[in-house]
């Protein structure tokens, strides 16, 4: 499902402050026609469904989404290039933050389009086999977008109706209402979605079950979370944990059997809305996946190094906390499978005695003696102060899960890399957390050990096993950090478990004095609060202006 949408029908609301548009099929031209006529044909309705999927790209693989979902946690600090330090460091975070405003606008535009499709589907002329699938997809997507909204902003505006034209009021709806609707929509979707799809990127029954397992866990419905996770694990769908963790991130292996649900990007970069004034009006020039830019250190200022395709374009936005790096034991292959520590000389100008291909830069989470080495060394003492605060924001161990050596030039900012939203390993960790919360430590340890066994280096399987008595909520969060670092889930994990403030204060010393309890929700965008006429009802979240 690579070619999502092109300019067509527009929905506008003060809530969205944005538009919902459809890119047409090649044989279909929507110019000059209305929604009422477009969405009453099967071809036209397909454009609506495809457009509803496309809004996932505003969050997944985008700097704004990374800033909200990974930063401000125990795992990441700001590199020198961080563009949203008010958000990522809680530095007087307020309602004018650009990333938060962008995501609010696009998530509500997405919900509005889902509502339009769900409420209009009976008029679309779809076949009896196609209609239930498309309705299930739209309900899954509505639940998906509403989860991002309610977890990010709390009990804000909620509606199941399509907004036509301009509205000037908004409601404050209890979180429980969101949660109930999310569960209802997902249960509906599960009964109607196919087990598999040949159109990669569309949601399937196991993907909806996996997301429902995550939702049950979020809502502390632990038995249901465990059972739904097991429905995917034991469902015969063909998912497996890849034997080698590092293989997950190869560009040649993106569509692998560990991916339960992904947001896909096209290898034809022109289809990823690079210059679309409606779907990508920010002018970033980064319509595709931007993850490869954000975690890479500044290597091209080092002796013997020049920027190239293989090493990536270094925006150095985010760097790991010392705590994150220390989570990986020497027996765990996910460290080597997730991070780049060595850069090899590729420049014409090099230190005397250094040849092309020799080590030019080495970064280490350990203390490393530099004596007698030609190459530059950035060990833990060069990068971090003794208390764990940052000393060097430019040079550090770099997450390389999202690197893309298939880009056509060293300065290419776009990547065709798909974004994994749910991997099969998450189902085991959901089951582990649910069992622990139910008091079943032995079962919890068993599920944890499935994931840890895959991560064990050769000959280190025994060292990677945990015992039932060792299982705690913090141990489970540490395991999720090792497994999912950088994958746009950490902030939600810490919020779900009530550990956000505690763990940031303990493990991210750069943020320890900044974070407050009210940061468990984000500020409602100022443009939204200012636009509504019922300001006595629709107020800013506490702690923000």
């Amino acid at each position: 499902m690579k070619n999502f949408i092109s300019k067509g029908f527009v929905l506008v609301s003060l809530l969205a402050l944005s538009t919902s548009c459809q890119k047409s099929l090649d044989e279909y031209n929507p110019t000059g026609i209305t929604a009422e006529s477009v969405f009453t044909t099967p071809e036209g309705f397909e454009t609506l469904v495809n457009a509803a999927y496309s809004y996932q790209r505003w969050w997944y693989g985008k700097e704004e989404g990374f800033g909200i979902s990974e930063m401000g946690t125990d795992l990441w600090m700001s590199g020198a290039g961080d563009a949203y330090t008010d958000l990522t460091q809680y530095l007087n975070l307020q309602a004018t933050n650009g990333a938060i405003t962008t995501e609010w606008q696009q998530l509500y535009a997405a919900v509005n389009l889902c509502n339009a499709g769900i409420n209009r589907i009976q008029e679309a002329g779809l076949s009896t086999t196609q209609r239930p699938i498309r309705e299930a997809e739209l309900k899954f997507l509505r639940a998906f977008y509403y989860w991002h909204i309610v977890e990010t902003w709390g009990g804000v505006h909620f509606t199941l109706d399509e907004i036509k034209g301009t509205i000037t009021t908004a409601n404050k709806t209890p979180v429980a209402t969101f949660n109930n609707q999310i569960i209802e929509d997902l249960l509906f979707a599960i009964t109607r979605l196919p087990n598999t799809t040949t159109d990669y990127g569309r949601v399937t029954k196991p993907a909806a079950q996996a997301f429902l397992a995550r939702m049950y866990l979020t809502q502390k419905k632990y038995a249901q979370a465990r059972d739904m996770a097991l429905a995917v694990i034991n469902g015969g769908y063909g998912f497996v944990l890849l034997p080698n963790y590092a293989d997950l991130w190869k560009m040649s292996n993106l569509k692998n059997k560990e991916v339960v649900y992904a947001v896909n990007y096209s290898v034809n970069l022109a289809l990823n809305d690079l210059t679309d004034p409606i779907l990508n009006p920010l002018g970033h020039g980064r319509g595709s996946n931007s993850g490869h830019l954000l975690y890479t250190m500044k290597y091209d200022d080092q002796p013997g190094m020049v920027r190239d395709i293989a090493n990536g374009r270094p925006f150095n936005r985010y760097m790991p906390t010392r705590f994150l790096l220390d989570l990986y034991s020497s027996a765990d292959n996910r460290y080597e499978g997730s991070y780049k520590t060595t850069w090899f000389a590729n420049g014409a100008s090099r230190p005397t005695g250094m040849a092309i291909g020799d080590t030019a830069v080495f970064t280490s989470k350990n203390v490393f003696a530099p004596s007698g080495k030609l190459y530059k060394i950035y060990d833990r003492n060069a990068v971090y102060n003794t208390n764990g605060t940052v000393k060097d924001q430019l040079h550090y161990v770099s997450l390389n899960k999202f690197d893309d050596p298939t880009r056509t030039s060293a300065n290419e900012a776009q990547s065709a890399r798909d974004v994994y939203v749910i991997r099969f390993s998450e189902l085991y960790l959901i089951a582990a957390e649910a069992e622990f919360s139910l008091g079943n430590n032995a079962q919890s340890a068993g599920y944890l050990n499935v994931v840890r066994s895959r991560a064990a280096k050769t000959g280190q399987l025994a060292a990677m096993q945990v015992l039932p008595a060792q299982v705690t909520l913090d141990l489970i969060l540490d395991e999720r950090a090792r497994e999912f670092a950088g994958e746009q889930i950490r902030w939600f994990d810490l919020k779900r478990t009530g550990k956000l403030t505690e763990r940031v204060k303990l493990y991210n010393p750069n943020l320890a004095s900044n974070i407050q309890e009210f940061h468990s929700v984000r500020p409602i965008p100022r443009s939204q609060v200012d636009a509504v006429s019922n300001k006595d009802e629709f107020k800013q979240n506490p702690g923000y202006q």
Side-chain angles (χ1 to χ4, degrees):
M1 198 169 63
K2 294 289 189 182
N3 186 6
F4 279 109
I5 55 180
S6 150
K7 302 173 195 65
F9 170 58
V10 177
L11 301 167
V12 182
S13 75
L14 281 175
L15 268 175
L17 295 175
S18 167
T19 54
S20 302
C21 305
Q22 293 70 49
K23 279 196 179 147
S24 66
L25 302 173
D26 291 340
E27 69 273 18
Y28 186 75
N29 179 9
T31 304
I33 57 180
T34 65
E36 282 66 26
S37 59
V38 172
F39 298 153
T40 54
T41 67
E43 298 88 351
F45 198 82
E46 284 296 301
T47 69
L48 182 152
V49 177
N50 289 347
Y53 275 99
S54 75
Y55 281 92
Q56 296 173 108
R57 290 177 174 174
W58 275 93
W59 186 284
Y60 288 95
K62 292 300 189 295
E63 185 171 354
E64 294 78 10
F66 279 108
I68 295 173
S69 58
E70 282 292 318
M71 295 297 288
T73 67
D74 50 351
L75 305 186
W76 304 104
M77 294 170 159
S78 295
D82 190 353
Y84 294 111
T85 53
D86 56 335
L87 169 65
T88 60
Q89 298 182 32
Y90 305 106
L91 286 172
N92 193 31
L93 175 61
Q94 296 299 338
T96 53
N97 177 268
I100 287 172
T101 299
T102 293
E103 295 300 344
W104 172 281
Q105 292 168 354
Q106 302 312 317
L107 288 169
Y108 271 109
V111 167
N112 196 40
L113 193 56
C114 292
N115 285 340
I118 291 165
N119 294 327
R120 291 172 180 267
I121 196 168
Q122 70 274 12
E123 305 162 1
L126 298 176
S127 69
T128 55
T129 55
Q130 195 78 328
R131 173 178 167 168
I133 296 173
R134 294 295 179 256
E135 188 172 7
E137 289 177 272
L138 289 170
K139 289 201 172 185
F140 169 87
L141 289 169
R142 181 168 67 183
F144 187 77
Y145 294 128
Y146 261 145
W147 174 72
H148 288 77
I149 288 170
V150 72
E151 289 301 302
T152 304
W153 291 284
V156 286
H157 187 80
F158 176 86
T159 182
L160 302 181
D161 297 323
E162 174 188 357
I163 297 169
K164 301 178 182 179
T166 300
I167 63 170
T168 61
T169 60
N171 60 62
K172 280 290 191 81
T173 299
V175 169
T177 301
F178 283 86
N179 286 341
N180 291 339
Q181 188 63 48
I182 287 168
I183 299 299
E184 180 180 325
D185 280 351
L186 291 175
L187 288 171
F188 178 96
I190 286 167
T191 64
R192 291 161 176 82
L193 288 168
N195 287 359
T196 61
T197 178
T198 58
D199 196 2
Y200 187 77
R202 289 193 185 276
V203 67
T204 61
K205 177 179 178 178
Q209 289 175 312
F211 190 65
L212 179 55
R214 186 192 285 182
M215 295 305 96
Y216 279 142
L217 193 66
T218 300
Q219 298 180 31
K220 303 188 186 317
K221 297 176 179 179
Y222 298 119
Q224 295 96 317
R226 174 202 59 204
D227 293 346
M228 194 57 62
L230 293 178
V232 181
I233 293 170
N234 300 321
Y237 297 117
F239 299 115
V240 298
L241 300 183
L242 297 191
N244 184 5
Y245 184 83
D247 288 345
L248 280 164
W249 315 108
K250 294 178 179 178
M251 287 297 292
S252 60
N253 194 38
L254 293 180
K255 295 175 177 62
N256 62 71
K257 291 184 178 181
E258 190 165 333
V259 181
V260 179
Y261 187 60
V263 173
N264 63 331
Y265 283 95
S266 177
V267 294
N268 181 350
L269 301 181
L271 299 180
N272 292 331
D273 307 307
L274 173 63
T275 59
D276 194 315
I278 296 173
L279 282 179
N280 188 27
L282 300 181
H284 285 338
R286 300 195 289 278
S288 300
N289 190 338
S290 297
H292 65 105
L293 304 165
L294 305 178
Y295 294 92
T296 302
M297 79 163 206
K298 182 73 172 169
Y299 68 88
D300 53 357
D301 62 351
Q302 296 297 288
M305 295 300 302
V306 295
R307 183 183 301 181
D308 64 6
I309 295 174
N311 289 294
R313 185 174 173 181
F315 275 32
N316 67 284
R317 296 289 201 253
Y318 314 138
M319 60 183 292
T321 58
R322 192 173 64 181
F323 166 74
L324 171 57
L325 298 181
D326 288 345
L327 283 176
Y328 300 88
S329 74
S330 60
D332 196 326
N333 66 28
R334 287 173 294 191
Y335 182 72
E336 288 82 3
S338 301
Y339 301 95
K340 184 180 181 72
T341 59
T342 307
W343 283 257
F344 300 102
N346 63 356
S349 176
R350 303 181 302 277
T352 302
M354 180 183 291
I356 295 289
D358 286 351
T359 298
V361 184
F362 178 69
T363 60
S364 176
K365 64 177 183 172
N366 302 313
V367 177
F368 197 87
S371 58
K373 302 294 191 293
L374 280 176
Y375 51 86
K376 293 291 292 293
I377 296 172
Y378 295 95
D379 70 353
R380 74 189 286 120
N381 289 340
V383 178
Y384 304 98
N385 294 305
T386 54
N387 66 351
T389 55
V390 175
K391 184 184 295 185
D392 187 339
Q393 289 183 291
L394 288 169
H395 311 106
Y396 42 82
V397 173
S398 298
L399 186 77
N400 66 351
K401 288 180 176 180
F402 313 129
D403 285 3
D404 183 0
T406 70
R407 294 173 305 121
T408 56
S409 71
N411 289 323
E412 176 57 72
Q414 294 204 80
S415 169
R417 175 180 288 278
D418 298 332
V419 178
Y420 304 151
V421 178
I422 303 175
R423 293 196 281 110
F424 194 46
S425 59
E426 184 178 347
L427 279 303
Y428 287 101
L429 295 183
I430 287 173
E433 187 174 330
E435 291 285 25
F436 167 76
S437 300
L438 292 167
N440 303 324
N441 278 35
Q443 293 89 332
S444 180
Y447 293 126
L448 285 166
N449 285 333
V450 172
V451 176
R452 291 177 62 82
S453 294
R454 187 269 295 272
K457 292 181 180 178
T458 302
Q460 298 293 317
L461 182 61
M464 286 291 288
Q465 304 305 291
V466 296
L467 300 174
Q470 296 174 303
V471 178
T472 65
L473 184 56
D474 283 310
L475 181 141
I476 292 169
L477 284 171
D478 289 349
E479 192 60 34
R480 290 184 67 92
R482 287 182 283 262
E483 183 71 18
F484 303 124
E487 297 181 49
Q488 297 192 245
I489 191 66
R490 187 59 174 184
W491 191 86
F492 297 107
D493 285 346
L494 296 186
K495 175 175 179 173
R496 180 188 73 250
T497 55
K499 292 276 191 174
L500 178 64
T501 304
E502 174 190 332
R503 285 181 69 106
V504 168
K505 286 182 177 295
L506 282 173
Y507 304 126
N508 195 335
N510 274 45
L511 312 187
S513 62
N514 299 341
I515 191 168
Q516 306 294 326
E517 291 296 336
F518 68 80
H519 286 134
S520 60
V521 293
R522 311 296 195 170
I524 301 169
R526 178 75 53 78
S527 56
Q528 171 63 37
V529 175
D530 289 348
V532 298
S533 58
N534 60 329
K535 291 179 173 58
D536 289 342
E537 176 187 357
F538 194 83
K539 296 179 180 180
Q540 180 58 265
N541 283 332
Y544 301 108
Q545 297 179 357

